[in-house]
Amino acid sequence: MHTITLIRGDGIGPEIADSALAVIEAAGVHIKWEEVEAGVNALEKHGSPLPDQVISSLNKTNIGLKAPLTTPVGSGIRSINVELRMKFDLFANLRPAKSFPGLDLPYQDIDLVVIRENTEDLYSGIEYMVSEDIAESIKIISRKASERIARFAFDYAMEKGRKKVTAVHKANIMKLSDGLFLDVAREVAEEYPQIEFEDRIVDNMAMQLVLKPQQYDVMVMPNLYGDILSDLCAGLAGGLGLVPGANIGKNKAIFEPVHGSAPKYAGKDQANPGAMIMAAVLMLEHINEKEAARRIESALFALIKEGKHVTADLGGSAGTKEMTKALIDLL
Ligand code: NAI
């Protein structure tokens, strides 16, 4: 039996976490969940948004399934999501975005994977006031982090039978930092002659993804561009309610929806559990429960295509619980 750390999170987190757990159980995978609290709820209860139990549990289990956590704007609390990524050196953020059939979207054939460097760039947290009227944020790009994320992208492409890796950058303006990222990506690409390699400047990439997303396959990029373009890809594939993300390090991984805690829907049985269920699918693949992962994904595709028991963001009128039950019936 697998032992996995569970963080139910804030806002809609507990509802969509319950949904994902029920679906995993229905797919016949038995997991011993080690539940720990993080985020705003943990701050109120334990005096810290990231209590020691979270760290010790993840140190033990090496794998976490995490619902979204609220980061109060301007409260002085650093994002727990960023904190967890940094603490465990979860250097790769994997965000696959695949079209869900039956949705009213500009494209029906999206199959994109954003691989975002997760530990540096403008997320290094080095920010200060130079004077009362000037703020400075430091963008850090290192050879080591660029090399391991480029290698991760090519290894992922090889493992999944993908054809192409596109490096995304702004090296025409940030000649040193993004220039280093691009140079390293080019060097790593030479070790993988089976995979086509190209690079794109990030602004052009945003336009190309809207106009001709089918041209792209696996994309690798520094942290901030990955944050933004992965939401763009999520929008192309069906919306934030459906797209998962994985934060992967050397021997630890945390799986989560790309979306946040959507406070306006909290406790109302209205949140779409799809992204959390897809996060569970990525987690099951990671722990080698590939058959269960495939069955859950196909059932979710079928449920959304049928369109009868889906939440409002997908054009339906079902609640979180009804959508979950319908999915379990299909399984
Ligand atoms: P959000 O993703 O929570 O919401 C953006 C929009 O999408 C809202 O209209 C929301 O209602 C809708 N939405 C999101 N998930 C949905 C779902 N499952 N079903 C239906 N509709 C859904 O982003 P927002 O409002 O910027 O952030 C809210 C909080 O979440 C903030 O405190 C933010 O820091 C946090 N956050 C946490 C993340 C994480 O834990 N990984 C990621 C992004 C934001």
Side-chain angles (χ1 to χ4, degrees):
M1 178 155 8
H2 312 276
T3 304
I4 292 175
T5 301
L6 172 69
I7 301 173
R8 279 179 202 268
D10 299 313
I12 59 170
E15 296 164 73
I16 58 173
D18 282 348
S19 168
L21 262 51
V23 169
I24 294 171
E25 184 75 29
V29 183
H30 301 297
I31 291 175
K32 184 169 166 242
W33 297 103
E34 208 171 280
E35 191 172 339
V36 289
E37 283 178 300
V40 169
N41 287 339
L43 180 66
E44 284 163 12
K45 258 189 169 163
H46 307 286
S48 161
L50 188 59
D52 289 345
Q53 295 94 304
V54 180
I55 307 300
S56 54
S57 175
L58 283 165
N59 269 329
K60 198 167 66 187
T61 63
N62 290 329
I63 296 182
L65 181 64
K66 185 184 92 45
L69 301 172
T70 298
T71 307
V73 176
S75 66
I77 301 181
R78 196 174 179 211
S79 160
I80 301 306
N81 303 304
V82 175
E83 196 94 10
L84 281 169
R85 293 169 193 165
M86 299 291 187
K87 185 132 209 141
F88 293 116
D89 200 21
L90 305 174
F91 65 88
N93 191 319
L94 174 73
R95 293 184 167 185
K98 203 158 137 189
S99 295
F100 279 81
L103 296 178
D104 185 16
L105 293 167
Y107 303 105
Q108 301 300 324
D109 53 355
I110 300 295
D111 187 5
L112 298 164
V113 179
V114 172
I115 294 179
R116 164 185 174 192
E117 201 290 321
N118 225 3
T119 60
E120 48 182 35
D121 191 8
L122 281 161
Y123 290 69
S124 56
I126 309 170
E127 220 187 13
Y128 56 90
M129 299 304 293
V130 177
S131 71
E132 216 171 279
D133 300 316
I134 300 176
E136 195 165 281
S137 294
I138 308 276
K139 171 173 166 117
I140 295 187
I141 300 284
S142 70
R143 173 173 292 278
K144 181 182 162 215
S146 303
E147 191 176 325
R148 67 182 177 176
I149 198 68
R151 215 173 281 290
F152 182 94
F154 281 97
D155 286 341
Y156 177 89
M158 293 285 287
E159 191 196 320
K160 301 283 180 190
R162 296 272 181 165
K163 304 270 176 298
K164 183 165 78 171
V165 171
T166 305
V168 182
H169 61 89
K170 187 84 185 171
N172 52 332
I173 302 297
M174 281 158 280
K175 294 182 192 298
L176 296 183
S177 53
D178 281 17
L180 176 61
F181 183 86
L182 178 58
D183 284 349
V184 172
R186 282 185 176 138
E187 283 164 30
V188 172
E190 283 178 16
E191 296 171 31
Y192 296 82
Q194 314 86 324
I195 308 282
E196 188 187 337
F197 174 74
E198 63 180 14
D199 71 275
R200 288 281 179 279
I201 294 176
V202 62
D203 43 341
N204 177 32
M205 189 72 197
M207 185 186 67
Q208 296 294 335
L209 279 172
V210 171
L211 289 178
K212 287 190 217 153
Q214 300 81 357
Q215 295 178 96
Y216 299 99
D217 188 346
V218 176
M219 294 164 282
V220 63
M221 60 200 83
N223 212 334
L224 183 62
Y225 310 146
D227 192 5
I228 298 167
L229 291 187
S230 62
D231 270 29
L232 192 157
C233 293
L236 286 173
L240 275 182
L242 290 172
V243 179
N247 300 285
I248 301 176
K250 219 170 159 196
N251 54 15
K252 287 194 173 34
I254 298 179
F255 300 84
E256 62 184 351
V258 165
H259 65 70
S261 57
K264 71 178 176 201
Y265 293 136
K268 293 191 177 151
D269 190 34
Q270 286 176 358
N272 179 356
M276 188 73 191
I277 293 167
M278 288 302 292
V281 165
L282 285 183
M283 183 198 79
L284 291 172
E285 281 172 1
H286 187 83
I287 61 173
N288 232 355
E289 293 282 359
K290 294 199 163 73
E291 175 55 20
R294 197 199 51 75
R295 285 204 299 124
I296 295 173
E297 189 178 41
S298 324
L300 187 61
F301 272 59
L303 184 78
I304 289 172
K305 189 169 182 195
E306 190 200 40
K308 272 196 199 147
H309 303 282
V310 295
T311 45
D313 58 310
L314 300 177
S317 58
T320 314
K321 286 188 183 136
E322 181 187 329
M323 185 164 160
T324 307
K325 184 178 175 305
L327 181 62
I328 289 173
D329 288 347
L330 271 181
L331 273 171

